[in-house]
Amino acid sequence: MGKIHSVDICGRVEHLPVLPLPSGVNIAFFNLHGNVGLTEHCAAHLAERIKKYNPEILITAESKGLQLTHCIARTLGQDSYAVARKSKKLYMQDGIEVEAKTITTGEVQKLYLSAHDVDLIKGKRVAIVDDVISTGAANAALEQLVSEAGGTVVCNAFVLAEGSAKDRPNVVYLAAIPLL
């Protein structure tokens, strides 16, 4: 077994595998996919921190933030949330798009927002939700999508803040992890 980094997320200790990125940086890999208990735990704690910002709608980028955002929206009593897709689907021809270069992909990628989701955001107070923030590139792309859709970002919420992301004043998170 390879290296492991343990992190306490509001009383729940998770053991994260340390994985190399193409850039040569190692990360403690956090994955909510398929983990109902961990997702519900993180969502409950993030919802508690987000609610003071009084968001009217949440947005996330696919895919690791989807189930987390779903649970937070349910907890906050919201009927829907916006999803920035990483590929342009047929129904998204009349939406908007932005570019981002994140630490995990290492390449420029696009995020797409459908016209339906643009309508959800327009004129609203928006909380951005995702699993991990590191360089902030994906978050900046989501902020740009919200702005172009006519919304106002009131909160940037993450389960984990990686590296110096924990020092950003506009970031709410449950636990910090280092770049390794």
Side-chain angles (χ1 to χ4, degrees):
M1 181 178 245
K3 289 185 177 184
I4 299 292
H5 178 79
S6 298
V7 61
D8 184 328
I9 305 172
C10 299
R12 181 177 171 140
V13 176
E14 292 296 318
H15 306 288
L16 311 179
V18 176
L19 302 175
L21 295 178
S23 66
V25 173
N26 291 322
I27 61 167
F29 182 69
F30 180 68
N31 186 10
L32 289 171
H33 284 313
N35 193 327
V36 175
L38 178 59
T39 300
E40 293 284 350
H41 175 82
C42 294
H45 287 279
L46 267 182
E48 190 62 34
R49 295 183 189 193
I50 290 171
K51 73 179 180 181
K52 70 180 180 183
Y53 296 95
N54 197 29
E56 298 168 279
I57 190 82
L58 308 176
I59 186 173
T60 193
E62 65 176 5
S63 73
K64 287 174 33 184
L66 287 173
Q67 64 270 24
L68 177 67
T69 305
H70 177 95
C71 293
I72 293 170
R74 182 186 62 224
T75 300
L76 296 177
Q78 297 181 359
D79 292 330
S80 55
Y81 55 93
V83 178
R85 304 289 306 258
K86 293 182 180 174
S87 60
K88 191 173 189 176
K89 305 301 180 192
L90 185 59
Y91 67 89
M92 302 178 85
Q93 301 309 310
D94 53 355
I96 58 177
E97 64 186 64
V98 297
E99 289 186 351
K101 183 176 180 181
T102 67
I103 189 172
T104 50
T105 61
E107 300 174 0
V108 173
Q109 63 181 11
K110 290 188 177 184
L111 291 179
Y112 302 90
L113 201 59
S114 69
H116 172 265
D117 285 351
V118 168
D119 288 342
L120 287 175
I121 291 170
K122 188 175 183 177
K124 302 275 180 56
R125 297 170 51 82
V126 182
I128 293 173
V129 175
D130 212 344
D131 61 336
V132 179
I133 184 169
S134 186
T135 64
N139 189 69
L142 285 170
E143 286 180 334
Q144 185 179 347
L145 278 175
V146 169
S147 177
E148 289 184 22
T152 302
V153 175
V154 296
C155 177
N156 295 287
F158 305 90
V159 175
L160 300 175
E162 187 173 54
S164 64
K166 69 183 180 345
D167 301 323
R168 295 186 188 136
N170 63 340
V171 171
V172 174
Y173 62 92
L174 301 180
I177 56 174
L179 282 169
L180 304 165

PDB file of all heavy atoms in Angstrom, residues 133-134 161-167 176-179:
ATOM      1  N   ILE A 133     -10.796  22.595  -2.943  1.00  0.00           N
ATOM      2  CA  ILE A 133     -10.223  23.752  -3.630  1.00  0.00           C
ATOM      3  C   ILE A 133      -8.713  23.699  -3.433  1.00  0.00           C
ATOM      4  O   ILE A 133      -8.230  23.425  -2.344  1.00  0.00           O
ATOM      5  CB  ILE A 133     -10.802  25.099  -3.140  1.00  0.00           C
ATOM      6  CG1 ILE A 133     -10.216  26.243  -3.975  1.00  0.00           C
ATOM      7  CG2 ILE A 133     -10.604  25.300  -1.645  1.00  0.00           C
ATOM      8  CD1 ILE A 133     -10.892  27.587  -3.771  1.00  0.00           C
ATOM      9  N   SER A 134      -7.982  23.930  -4.514  1.00  0.00           N
ATOM     10  CA  SER A 134      -6.526  23.937  -4.448  1.00  0.00           C
ATOM     11  C   SER A 134      -6.003  25.250  -5.032  1.00  0.00           C
ATOM     12  O   SER A 134      -5.857  26.232  -4.320  1.00  0.00           O
ATOM     13  CB  SER A 134      -5.937  22.736  -5.183  1.00  0.00           C
ATOM     14  OG  SER A 134      -4.545  22.688  -4.987  1.00  0.00           O
ATOM     15  N   ALA A 161      -9.750  22.287   1.852  1.00  0.00           N
ATOM     16  CA  ALA A 161      -8.936  23.347   1.258  1.00  0.00           C
ATOM     17  C   ALA A 161      -7.506  22.820   1.215  1.00  0.00           C
ATOM     18  O   ALA A 161      -6.937  22.460   2.249  1.00  0.00           O
ATOM     19  CB  ALA A 161      -9.015  24.623   2.085  1.00  0.00           C
ATOM     20  N   GLU A 162      -6.955  22.767   0.014  1.00  0.00           N
ATOM     21  CA  GLU A 162      -5.631  22.182  -0.193  1.00  0.00           C
ATOM     22  C   GLU A 162      -4.577  23.274  -0.292  1.00  0.00           C
ATOM     23  O   GLU A 162      -4.772  24.267  -1.003  1.00  0.00           O
ATOM     24  CB  GLU A 162      -5.666  21.349  -1.469  1.00  0.00           C
ATOM     25  CG  GLU A 162      -4.416  20.550  -1.735  1.00  0.00           C
ATOM     26  CD  GLU A 162      -4.620  19.622  -2.920  1.00  0.00           C
ATOM     27  OE1 GLU A 162      -5.007  20.107  -4.008  1.00  0.00           O
ATOM     28  OE2 GLU A 162      -4.400  18.413  -2.755  1.00  0.00           O
ATOM     29  N   GLY A 163      -3.468  23.067   0.392  1.00  0.00           N
ATOM     30  CA  GLY A 163      -2.369  24.038   0.326  1.00  0.00           C
ATOM     31  C   GLY A 163      -2.780  25.395   0.860  1.00  0.00           C
ATOM     32  O   GLY A 163      -3.461  25.510   1.878  1.00  0.00           O
ATOM     33  N   SER A 164      -2.410  26.447   0.138  1.00  0.00           N
ATOM     34  CA  SER A 164      -2.673  27.814   0.589  1.00  0.00           C
ATOM     35  C   SER A 164      -4.133  28.246   0.422  1.00  0.00           C
ATOM     36  O   SER A 164      -4.510  29.327   0.862  1.00  0.00           O
ATOM     37  CB  SER A 164      -1.753  28.799  -0.142  1.00  0.00           C
ATOM     38  OG  SER A 164      -2.039  28.781  -1.531  1.00  0.00           O
ATOM     39  N   ALA A 165      -4.966  27.416  -0.178  1.00  0.00           N
ATOM     40  CA  ALA A 165      -6.384  27.766  -0.348  1.00  0.00           C
ATOM     41  C   ALA A 165      -7.058  28.027   0.990  1.00  0.00           C
ATOM     42  O   ALA A 165      -7.999  28.807   1.082  1.00  0.00           O
ATOM     43  CB  ALA A 165      -7.121  26.664  -1.103  1.00  0.00           C
ATOM     44  N   LYS A 166      -6.550  27.420   2.050  1.00  0.00           N
ATOM     45  CA  LYS A 166      -7.133  27.609   3.377  1.00  0.00           C
ATOM     46  C   LYS A 166      -6.975  29.044   3.882  1.00  0.00           C
ATOM     47  O   LYS A 166      -7.705  29.483   4.777  1.00  0.00           O
ATOM     48  CB  LYS A 166      -6.519  26.630   4.375  1.00  0.00           C
ATOM     49  CG  LYS A 166      -5.062  26.924   4.705  1.00  0.00           C
ATOM     50  CD  LYS A 166      -4.493  25.885   5.646  1.00  0.00           C
ATOM     51  CE  LYS A 166      -3.068  26.081   6.040  1.00  0.00           C
ATOM     52  NZ  LYS A 166      -2.220  26.974   5.317  1.00  0.00           N
ATOM     53  N   ASP A 167      -6.062  29.789   3.286  1.00  0.00           N
ATOM     54  CA  ASP A 167      -5.796  31.161   3.722  1.00  0.00           C
ATOM     55  C   ASP A 167      -6.629  32.204   2.983  1.00  0.00           C
ATOM     56  O   ASP A 167      -6.545  33.387   3.304  1.00  0.00           O
ATOM     57  CB  ASP A 167      -4.302  31.481   3.545  1.00  0.00           C
ATOM     58  CG  ASP A 167      -3.421  30.532   4.340  1.00  0.00           C
ATOM     59  OD1 ASP A 167      -3.814  30.161   5.465  1.00  0.00           O
ATOM     60  OD2 ASP A 167      -2.349  30.158   3.838  1.00  0.00           O
ATOM     61  N   ALA A 176      -8.394  21.244   6.252  1.00  0.00           N
ATOM     62  CA  ALA A 176      -7.297  21.609   5.357  1.00  0.00           C
ATOM     63  C   ALA A 176      -6.389  20.404   5.148  1.00  0.00           C
ATOM     64  O   ALA A 176      -6.203  19.592   6.057  1.00  0.00           O
ATOM     65  CB  ALA A 176      -6.502  22.774   5.927  1.00  0.00           C
ATOM     66  N   ILE A 177      -5.858  20.305   3.919  1.00  0.00           N
ATOM     67  CA  ILE A 177      -4.871  19.282   3.612  1.00  0.00           C
ATOM     68  C   ILE A 177      -3.701  19.943   2.886  1.00  0.00           C
ATOM     69  O   ILE A 177      -3.875  20.943   2.206  1.00  0.00           O
ATOM     70  CB  ILE A 177      -5.457  18.130   2.755  1.00  0.00           C
ATOM     71  CG1 ILE A 177      -6.078  18.669   1.460  1.00  0.00           C
ATOM     72  CG2 ILE A 177      -6.452  17.301   3.548  1.00  0.00           C
ATOM     73  CD1 ILE A 177      -6.552  17.588   0.488  1.00  0.00           C
ATOM     74  N   PRO A 178      -2.503  19.383   3.039  1.00  0.00           N
ATOM     75  CA  PRO A 178      -1.346  19.970   2.365  1.00  0.00           C
ATOM     76  C   PRO A 178      -1.191  19.436   0.935  1.00  0.00           C
ATOM     77  O   PRO A 178      -1.725  18.385   0.600  1.00  0.00           O
ATOM     78  CB  PRO A 178      -0.174  19.486   3.225  1.00  0.00           C
ATOM     79  CG  PRO A 178      -0.624  18.138   3.725  1.00  0.00           C
ATOM     80  CD  PRO A 178      -2.120  18.289   3.933  1.00  0.00           C
ATOM     81  N   LEU A 179      -0.468  20.185   0.117  1.00  0.00           N
ATOM     82  CA  LEU A 179       0.068  19.613  -1.130  1.00  0.00           C
ATOM     83  C   LEU A 179       1.281  18.816  -0.674  1.00  0.00           C
ATOM     84  O   LEU A 179       2.060  19.288   0.149  1.00  0.00           O
ATOM     85  CB  LEU A 179       0.477  20.709  -2.109  1.00  0.00           C
ATOM     86  CG  LEU A 179      -0.673  21.362  -2.862  1.00  0.00           C
ATOM     87  CD1 LEU A 179      -0.179  22.596  -3.600  1.00  0.00           C
ATOM     88  CD2 LEU A 179      -1.310  20.392  -3.824  1.00  0.00           C
TER      89      LEU A 179
END
